[in-house]
Amino acid sequence: MRNSRVFIGWSGPDNQEIARKVSNRLSESGFSSIIGGEWKASLTVSEEIIDQMNVCDFAIVLIEKESAESCLYLI
């Protein structure tokens, strides 16, 4: 499993910092990580994130309670 790529998605200002910490810990364990939205591509944010996810083997998504509750209305 080492050398696998992990996508880290996040919402909310607190989770952005947590995503960086998770990324650092994964690197220490031999994984490569991509934090959602940190590529500076010419794509829209949603296209960029989908492209980032497509090159990864695993995903971790950090969602704040308020964001999770608002997502329920979209389902």
Side-chain angles (χ1 to χ4, degrees), residues 24-56:
N24 290 339
R25 183 61 66 124
L26 288 169
S27 293
E28 292 169 2
S29 299
F31 292 88
S32 174
S33 64
I34 296 173
I35 298 174
E38 290 197 338
W39 285 353
K40 304 298 182 211
S42 59
L43 306 170
T44 65
V45 173
S46 59
E47 290 173 320
E48 183 175 339
I49 289 173
I50 289 169
D51 285 350
Q52 291 172 337
M53 290 171 58
N54 282 332
V55 299
C56 291

Side-chain angles (χ1 to χ4, degrees), residues 10-12 15 62-72 74:
W10 57 274
S11 73
N15 283 334
L62 306 168
I63 301 175
E64 292 181 340
K65 180 180 177 182
E66 293 77 15
S67 297
E69 290 171 352
S70 66
C71 289
L72 292 176
L74 300 174

